[in-house]
Amino acid sequence: PPDPPQIKSPEPQSFPSTQNDSPVSSTESAPTPEVTNDLSISMQYELEHASVVCCVRYSDCGKYLATGCNRKAQIFSVETGEKIHTFTDPAWGSDDLYFRSVCFSPDGKYLACGTEDRTVKLYDIEKGTISNTFVGHSMDIYSVDYSRDGKFIVSGSGDKKAKMWDVENNKCLFTLGNDEVGPKDGVTSVAISPDGRFVAAASLDRIVRVWDAQTGYFLERYEGHMDSVYSVAFSPDGKSLASGSLDKTVKLWDLSEFRSRSRCRTTLTGHSDFVLSVAFSEDNRFLISGSKDRSVRFWDPRTTANYAHLEGHNNSVISVAVCPTDNNFATGSGDMKAKIWQYNDRWQRHKKASSS
C-alpha cells in the first residue's frame, strides 16, 4: 500500500506521496459546466508560515482562524490577519513534527491538534498550555474533529483507526475500525455530523465509512472512488456527505437512507489533480474543494454547477475551511502560506442592495 502523504518539503511534487494516479472511470459523470460570473472573490490576508501549511480551521464564532504547520499551531484574527497565539510542544526538541489537523472547541476555549507524535493535544488557548493529551494511536494523526456539544473529539490516524475521546474524562470511548469492517489502510480525514449522531472517516483504501457516534456501531461504507479518499465533510443539515479523492473528483453521498452502498448522488469533476480537502459553507449553498492542481473550486451541492475556479497559490491547496458566520473562507498550501478570502455571489449582493 502507498505511504501516507509526505508534506515536509514545499516542492510541488512533495505532496502527496507518489500514488497510482488512477484515471477517472468511464462511468463517472462528464465535466461539470462552469459558471464563473455569479461569484466575486477577493483575498483579505496572506499569512506567511515557515513551512507547509497542513490545515486551516475557523472557530465557531468566526473570529479566529487556526493553522497547523511544522512544530506549530497558530491562531490568527480573521478581522485583522494578526497572529494572536502560537502553540508547540517543548518536549519535541528540534525534530520535524507537523500539526496535521486543528479544531476549536465549540466554546472557543480549546484547540484540539492532531500531530505526528501520534497524540491528540488539547491546548488551553488563554493559558497557552496543554490541558490534555490523548494517547492511543500507533501512527501519525491526520485529522481531528470536535462534537458540537464539546464533549467528544474524534481522531483519525495512519494506524487504520479512528478513535472517539471523552474530553472531560480524558479517555478513549471507542476505537472505530476492526479487521472485519474497518479501514484497510490509513484514516486520512474524520468528521462528526452536526447533530452528533454519526462519525465519518475517509481512508487511503478508497472507502468512506460511517459509524454511530453514541455506540461505536459500524453503519455503512460508501464505495465509488477510484483512488484514496483524502477528505470528508458533513453538510450543515446533516443530510449529505462530501468526499475528496486522489481520483481528482468530489463525490456527494446521501445520508437520508443508509444501506445505499456503492452509490453516490453525484460526482463533481473539474480538478486536474488530486482533491485534498472539501468543506461546506454554513448555509449549504456552496461546497469548496482544494486540490494539488493549486486551485480552489466552488460548487453548488444541489445543482452541481461549478461557480468559481480560483488559482491563488503556488503549490497544492492542502486544506480549505469556510467561516461559519460570514462570507469568508481560508486556504492552506504547500507554498507555506495560508490565505483568508472573502466571497460574495450575485444573490447575496442583490439581497444586500435590496435591504439598504
PDB file of all heavy atoms in Angstrom, residues 209-231:
ATOM      1  N   ARG A 209     -16.388   5.492   5.454  1.00  0.00           N
ATOM      2  CA  ARG A 209     -17.179   4.679   6.384  1.00  0.00           C
ATOM      3  C   ARG A 209     -17.881   5.574   7.392  1.00  0.00           C
ATOM      4  O   ARG A 209     -17.365   6.631   7.754  1.00  0.00           O
ATOM      5  CB  ARG A 209     -16.291   3.671   7.111  1.00  0.00           C
ATOM      6  CG  ARG A 209     -15.751   2.573   6.210  1.00  0.00           C
ATOM      7  CD  ARG A 209     -14.701   1.733   6.910  1.00  0.00           C
ATOM      8  NE  ARG A 209     -14.249   0.615   6.093  1.00  0.00           N
ATOM      9  CZ  ARG A 209     -13.316   0.700   5.133  1.00  0.00           C
ATOM     10  NH1 ARG A 209     -12.764   1.880   4.873  1.00  0.00           N
ATOM     11  NH2 ARG A 209     -12.966  -0.365   4.433  1.00  0.00           N
ATOM     12  N   VAL A 210     -19.039   5.107   7.875  1.00  0.00           N
ATOM     13  CA  VAL A 210     -19.819   5.858   8.855  1.00  0.00           C
ATOM     14  C   VAL A 210     -20.162   4.949  10.029  1.00  0.00           C
ATOM     15  O   VAL A 210     -20.560   3.796   9.842  1.00  0.00           O
ATOM     16  CB  VAL A 210     -21.110   6.430   8.222  1.00  0.00           C
ATOM     17  CG1 VAL A 210     -21.966   7.117   9.284  1.00  0.00           C
ATOM     18  CG2 VAL A 210     -20.773   7.421   7.115  1.00  0.00           C
ATOM     19  N   TRP A 211     -19.983   5.497  11.247  1.00  0.00           N
ATOM     20  CA  TRP A 211     -20.319   4.790  12.473  1.00  0.00           C
ATOM     21  C   TRP A 211     -21.334   5.587  13.289  1.00  0.00           C
ATOM     22  O   TRP A 211     -21.469   6.800  13.123  1.00  0.00           O
ATOM     23  CB  TRP A 211     -19.078   4.606  13.351  1.00  0.00           C
ATOM     24  CG  TRP A 211     -18.047   3.657  12.860  1.00  0.00           C
ATOM     25  CD1 TRP A 211     -17.918   2.324  13.167  1.00  0.00           C
ATOM     26  CD2 TRP A 211     -16.945   3.961  11.983  1.00  0.00           C
ATOM     27  NE1 TRP A 211     -16.825   1.785  12.540  1.00  0.00           N
ATOM     28  CE2 TRP A 211     -16.202   2.764  11.815  1.00  0.00           C
ATOM     29  CE3 TRP A 211     -16.514   5.118  11.337  1.00  0.00           C
ATOM     30  CZ2 TRP A 211     -15.068   2.695  11.021  1.00  0.00           C
ATOM     31  CZ3 TRP A 211     -15.389   5.060  10.539  1.00  0.00           C
ATOM     32  CH2 TRP A 211     -14.675   3.866  10.388  1.00  0.00           C
ATOM     33  N   ASP A 212     -22.030   4.896  14.185  1.00  0.00           N
ATOM     34  CA  ASP A 212     -22.889   5.537  15.168  1.00  0.00           C
ATOM     35  C   ASP A 212     -21.992   6.131  16.255  1.00  0.00           C
ATOM     36  O   ASP A 212     -21.209   5.414  16.893  1.00  0.00           O
ATOM     37  CB  ASP A 212     -23.849   4.501  15.766  1.00  0.00           C
ATOM     38  CG  ASP A 212     -24.843   5.119  16.728  1.00  0.00           C
ATOM     39  OD1 ASP A 212     -24.414   5.724  17.726  1.00  0.00           O
ATOM     40  OD2 ASP A 212     -26.059   4.976  16.501  1.00  0.00           O
ATOM     41  N   ALA A 213     -22.098   7.433  16.483  1.00  0.00           N
ATOM     42  CA  ALA A 213     -21.201   8.113  17.417  1.00  0.00           C
ATOM     43  C   ALA A 213     -21.510   7.778  18.871  1.00  0.00           C
ATOM     44  O   ALA A 213     -20.638   7.912  19.738  1.00  0.00           O
ATOM     45  CB  ALA A 213     -21.280   9.624  17.215  1.00  0.00           C
ATOM     46  N   GLN A 214     -22.735   7.351  19.160  1.00  0.00           N
ATOM     47  CA  GLN A 214     -23.096   7.032  20.551  1.00  0.00           C
ATOM     48  C   GLN A 214     -22.656   5.629  20.958  1.00  0.00           C
ATOM     49  O   GLN A 214     -22.290   5.394  22.106  1.00  0.00           O
ATOM     50  CB  GLN A 214     -24.609   7.150  20.758  1.00  0.00           C
ATOM     51  CG  GLN A 214     -25.075   8.542  21.153  1.00  0.00           C
ATOM     52  CD  GLN A 214     -25.030   9.523  19.991  1.00  0.00           C
ATOM     53  OE1 GLN A 214     -25.498   9.223  18.903  1.00  0.00           O
ATOM     54  NE2 GLN A 214     -24.470  10.692  20.226  1.00  0.00           N
ATOM     55  N   THR A 215     -22.693   4.697  20.011  1.00  0.00           N
ATOM     56  CA  THR A 215     -22.417   3.297  20.348  1.00  0.00           C
ATOM     57  C   THR A 215     -21.125   2.760  19.746  1.00  0.00           C
ATOM     58  O   THR A 215     -20.622   1.720  20.173  1.00  0.00           O
ATOM     59  CB  THR A 215     -23.563   2.401  19.857  1.00  0.00           C
ATOM     60  OG1 THR A 215     -23.611   2.452  18.409  1.00  0.00           O
ATOM     61  CG2 THR A 215     -24.899   2.862  20.418  1.00  0.00           C
ATOM     62  N   GLY A 216     -20.579   3.460  18.727  1.00  0.00           N
ATOM     63  CA  GLY A 216     -19.413   2.957  18.016  1.00  0.00           C
ATOM     64  C   GLY A 216     -19.768   1.867  17.014  1.00  0.00           C
ATOM     65  O   GLY A 216     -18.874   1.247  16.414  1.00  0.00           O
ATOM     66  N   TYR A 217     -21.074   1.656  16.797  1.00  0.00           N
ATOM     67  CA  TYR A 217     -21.524   0.597  15.888  1.00  0.00           C
ATOM     68  C   TYR A 217     -21.310   1.018  14.431  1.00  0.00           C
ATOM     69  O   TYR A 217     -21.672   2.123  14.032  1.00  0.00           O
ATOM     70  CB  TYR A 217     -23.004   0.294  16.144  1.00  0.00           C
ATOM     71  CG  TYR A 217     -23.587  -0.788  15.271  1.00  0.00           C
ATOM     72  CD1 TYR A 217     -23.275  -2.129  15.487  1.00  0.00           C
ATOM     73  CD2 TYR A 217     -24.458  -0.461  14.226  1.00  0.00           C
ATOM     74  CE1 TYR A 217     -23.811  -3.122  14.688  1.00  0.00           C
ATOM     75  CE2 TYR A 217     -25.005  -1.453  13.418  1.00  0.00           C
ATOM     76  CZ  TYR A 217     -24.671  -2.782  13.659  1.00  0.00           C
ATOM     77  OH  TYR A 217     -25.207  -3.767  12.854  1.00  0.00           O
ATOM     78  N   PHE A 218     -20.727   0.109  13.646  1.00  0.00           N
ATOM     79  CA  PHE A 218     -20.489   0.401  12.228  1.00  0.00           C
ATOM     80  C   PHE A 218     -21.809   0.425  11.468  1.00  0.00           C
ATOM     81  O   PHE A 218     -22.632  -0.481  11.597  1.00  0.00           O
ATOM     82  CB  PHE A 218     -19.565  -0.666  11.636  1.00  0.00           C
ATOM     83  CG  PHE A 218     -19.358  -0.530  10.154  1.00  0.00           C
ATOM     84  CD1 PHE A 218     -18.549   0.466   9.638  1.00  0.00           C
ATOM     85  CD2 PHE A 218     -19.990  -1.395   9.266  1.00  0.00           C
ATOM     86  CE1 PHE A 218     -18.360   0.603   8.277  1.00  0.00           C
ATOM     87  CE2 PHE A 218     -19.811  -1.275   7.903  1.00  0.00           C
ATOM     88  CZ  PHE A 218     -18.996  -0.267   7.416  1.00  0.00           C
ATOM     89  N   LEU A 219     -22.028   1.463  10.660  1.00  0.00           N
ATOM     90  CA  LEU A 219     -23.293   1.623   9.938  1.00  0.00           C
ATOM     91  C   LEU A 219     -23.177   1.380   8.441  1.00  0.00           C
ATOM     92  O   LEU A 219     -23.996   0.670   7.871  1.00  0.00           O
ATOM     93  CB  LEU A 219     -23.855   3.036  10.174  1.00  0.00           C
ATOM     94  CG  LEU A 219     -24.290   3.369  11.596  1.00  0.00           C
ATOM     95  CD1 LEU A 219     -24.694   4.838  11.678  1.00  0.00           C
ATOM     96  CD2 LEU A 219     -25.437   2.465  12.038  1.00  0.00           C
ATOM     97  N   GLU A 220     -22.200   1.992   7.794  1.00  0.00           N
ATOM     98  CA  GLU A 220     -22.203   1.944   6.331  1.00  0.00           C
ATOM     99  C   GLU A 220     -20.839   2.261   5.754  1.00  0.00           C
ATOM    100  O   GLU A 220     -20.013   2.924   6.378  1.00  0.00           O
ATOM    101  CB  GLU A 220     -23.245   2.939   5.787  1.00  0.00           C
ATOM    102  CG  GLU A 220     -23.493   2.885   4.307  1.00  0.00           C
ATOM    103  CD  GLU A 220     -23.896   1.517   3.809  1.00  0.00           C
ATOM    104  OE1 GLU A 220     -23.009   0.647   3.729  1.00  0.00           O
ATOM    105  OE2 GLU A 220     -25.079   1.302   3.516  1.00  0.00           O
ATOM    106  N   ARG A 221     -20.638   1.771   4.556  1.00  0.00           N
ATOM    107  CA  ARG A 221     -19.454   2.114   3.777  1.00  0.00           C
ATOM    108  C   ARG A 221     -19.908   2.657   2.439  1.00  0.00           C
ATOM    109  O   ARG A 221     -20.872   2.169   1.846  1.00  0.00           O
ATOM    110  CB  ARG A 221     -18.532   0.912   3.601  1.00  0.00           C
ATOM    111  CG  ARG A 221     -19.214  -0.313   3.074  1.00  0.00           C
ATOM    112  CD  ARG A 221     -18.322  -1.529   3.197  1.00  0.00           C
ATOM    113  NE  ARG A 221     -17.408  -1.661   2.058  1.00  0.00           N
ATOM    114  CZ  ARG A 221     -16.277  -2.343   2.106  1.00  0.00           C
ATOM    115  NH1 ARG A 221     -15.907  -2.936   3.221  1.00  0.00           N
ATOM    116  NH2 ARG A 221     -15.507  -2.438   1.040  1.00  0.00           N
ATOM    117  N   TYR A 222     -19.218   3.670   1.968  1.00  0.00           N
ATOM    118  CA  TYR A 222     -19.547   4.317   0.699  1.00  0.00           C
ATOM    119  C   TYR A 222     -18.387   4.114  -0.265  1.00  0.00           C
ATOM    120  O   TYR A 222     -17.298   4.638  -0.056  1.00  0.00           O
ATOM    121  CB  TYR A 222     -19.842   5.798   0.918  1.00  0.00           C
ATOM    122  CG  TYR A 222     -21.098   6.015   1.717  1.00  0.00           C
ATOM    123  CD1 TYR A 222     -21.044   6.155   3.095  1.00  0.00           C
ATOM    124  CD2 TYR A 222     -22.347   6.026   1.099  1.00  0.00           C
ATOM    125  CE1 TYR A 222     -22.196   6.317   3.838  1.00  0.00           C
ATOM    126  CE2 TYR A 222     -23.506   6.190   1.832  1.00  0.00           C
ATOM    127  CZ  TYR A 222     -23.425   6.338   3.198  1.00  0.00           C
ATOM    128  OH  TYR A 222     -24.577   6.487   3.928  1.00  0.00           O
ATOM    129  N   GLU A 223     -18.659   3.333  -1.297  1.00  0.00           N
ATOM    130  CA  GLU A 223     -17.638   2.964  -2.267  1.00  0.00           C
ATOM    131  C   GLU A 223     -17.940   3.591  -3.621  1.00  0.00           C
ATOM    132  O   GLU A 223     -19.097   3.747  -3.998  1.00  0.00           O
ATOM    133  CB  GLU A 223     -17.576   1.445  -2.418  1.00  0.00           C
ATOM    134  CG  GLU A 223     -17.212   0.720  -1.150  1.00  0.00           C
ATOM    135  CD  GLU A 223     -17.165  -0.778  -1.340  1.00  0.00           C
ATOM    136  OE1 GLU A 223     -16.238  -1.252  -2.026  1.00  0.00           O
ATOM    137  OE2 GLU A 223     -18.059  -1.466  -0.817  1.00  0.00           O
ATOM    138  N   GLY A 224     -16.898   3.936  -4.356  1.00  0.00           N
ATOM    139  CA  GLY A 224     -17.078   4.530  -5.670  1.00  0.00           C
ATOM    140  C   GLY A 224     -15.858   5.299  -6.140  1.00  0.00           C
ATOM    141  O   GLY A 224     -15.633   5.442  -7.332  1.00  0.00           O
ATOM    142  N   HIS A 225     -15.071   5.798  -5.194  1.00  0.00           N
ATOM    143  CA  HIS A 225     -13.841   6.491  -5.594  1.00  0.00           C
ATOM    144  C   HIS A 225     -12.848   5.485  -6.175  1.00  0.00           C
ATOM    145  O   HIS A 225     -12.765   4.342  -5.742  1.00  0.00           O
ATOM    146  CB  HIS A 225     -13.212   7.215  -4.403  1.00  0.00           C
ATOM    147  CG  HIS A 225     -13.839   8.541  -4.105  1.00  0.00           C
ATOM    148  ND1 HIS A 225     -13.795   9.595  -4.989  1.00  0.00           N
ATOM    149  CD2 HIS A 225     -14.524   8.979  -3.013  1.00  0.00           C
ATOM    150  CE1 HIS A 225     -14.421  10.633  -4.461  1.00  0.00           C
ATOM    151  NE2 HIS A 225     -14.878  10.285  -3.259  1.00  0.00           N
ATOM    152  N   MET A 226     -12.074   5.964  -7.134  1.00  0.00           N
ATOM    153  CA  MET A 226     -11.106   5.119  -7.828  1.00  0.00           C
ATOM    154  C   MET A 226      -9.708   5.200  -7.224  1.00  0.00           C
ATOM    155  O   MET A 226      -8.786   4.543  -7.687  1.00  0.00           O
ATOM    156  CB  MET A 226     -11.041   5.513  -9.311  1.00  0.00           C
ATOM    157  CG  MET A 226     -12.384   5.532 -10.015  1.00  0.00           C
ATOM    158  SD  MET A 226     -13.161   3.922 -10.055  1.00  0.00           S
ATOM    159  CE  MET A 226     -12.085   3.095 -11.222  1.00  0.00           C
ATOM    160  N   ASP A 227      -9.552   6.030  -6.192  1.00  0.00           N
ATOM    161  CA  ASP A 227      -8.259   6.173  -5.533  1.00  0.00           C
ATOM    162  C   ASP A 227      -8.510   6.632  -4.098  1.00  0.00           C
ATOM    163  O   ASP A 227      -9.660   6.855  -3.695  1.00  0.00           O
ATOM    164  CB  ASP A 227      -7.370   7.168  -6.294  1.00  0.00           C
ATOM    165  CG  ASP A 227      -5.874   6.886  -6.125  1.00  0.00           C
ATOM    166  OD1 ASP A 227      -5.511   6.295  -5.094  1.00  0.00           O
ATOM    167  OD2 ASP A 227      -5.092   7.269  -7.013  1.00  0.00           O
ATOM    168  N   SER A 228      -7.446   6.787  -3.340  1.00  0.00           N
ATOM    169  CA  SER A 228      -7.545   7.134  -1.923  1.00  0.00           C
ATOM    170  C   SER A 228      -8.409   8.365  -1.687  1.00  0.00           C
ATOM    171  O   SER A 228      -8.384   9.320  -2.471  1.00  0.00           O
ATOM    172  CB  SER A 228      -6.146   7.396  -1.365  1.00  0.00           C
ATOM    173  OG  SER A 228      -5.334   6.246  -1.465  1.00  0.00           O
ATOM    174  N   VAL A 229      -9.176   8.342  -0.590  1.00  0.00           N
ATOM    175  CA  VAL A 229     -10.018   9.468  -0.199  1.00  0.00           C
ATOM    176  C   VAL A 229      -9.272  10.267   0.858  1.00  0.00           C
ATOM    177  O   VAL A 229      -8.845   9.724   1.876  1.00  0.00           O
ATOM    178  CB  VAL A 229     -11.380   8.994   0.340  1.00  0.00           C
ATOM    179  CG1 VAL A 229     -12.292  10.189   0.591  1.00  0.00           C
ATOM    180  CG2 VAL A 229     -12.042   8.026  -0.636  1.00  0.00           C
ATOM    181  N   TYR A 230      -9.110  11.560   0.617  1.00  0.00           N
ATOM    182  CA  TYR A 230      -8.284  12.392   1.499  1.00  0.00           C
ATOM    183  C   TYR A 230      -9.084  13.337   2.386  1.00  0.00           C
ATOM    184  O   TYR A 230      -8.533  13.911   3.317  1.00  0.00           O
ATOM    185  CB  TYR A 230      -7.300  13.214   0.649  1.00  0.00           C
ATOM    186  CG  TYR A 230      -5.928  12.586   0.578  1.00  0.00           C
ATOM    187  CD1 TYR A 230      -5.773  11.243   0.273  1.00  0.00           C
ATOM    188  CD2 TYR A 230      -4.785  13.335   0.819  1.00  0.00           C
ATOM    189  CE1 TYR A 230      -4.522  10.663   0.210  1.00  0.00           C
ATOM    190  CE2 TYR A 230      -3.521  12.762   0.761  1.00  0.00           C
ATOM    191  CZ  TYR A 230      -3.400  11.430   0.462  1.00  0.00           C
ATOM    192  OH  TYR A 230      -2.159  10.842   0.410  1.00  0.00           O
ATOM    193  N   SER A 231     -10.361  13.517   2.101  1.00  0.00           N
ATOM    194  CA  SER A 231     -11.126  14.478   2.886  1.00  0.00           C
ATOM    195  C   SER A 231     -12.589  14.100   2.899  1.00  0.00           C
ATOM    196  O   SER A 231     -13.124  13.600   1.906  1.00  0.00           O
ATOM    197  CB  SER A 231     -10.959  15.889   2.301  1.00  0.00           C
ATOM    198  OG  SER A 231     -11.631  16.855   3.093  1.00  0.00           O
TER     199      SER A 231
END
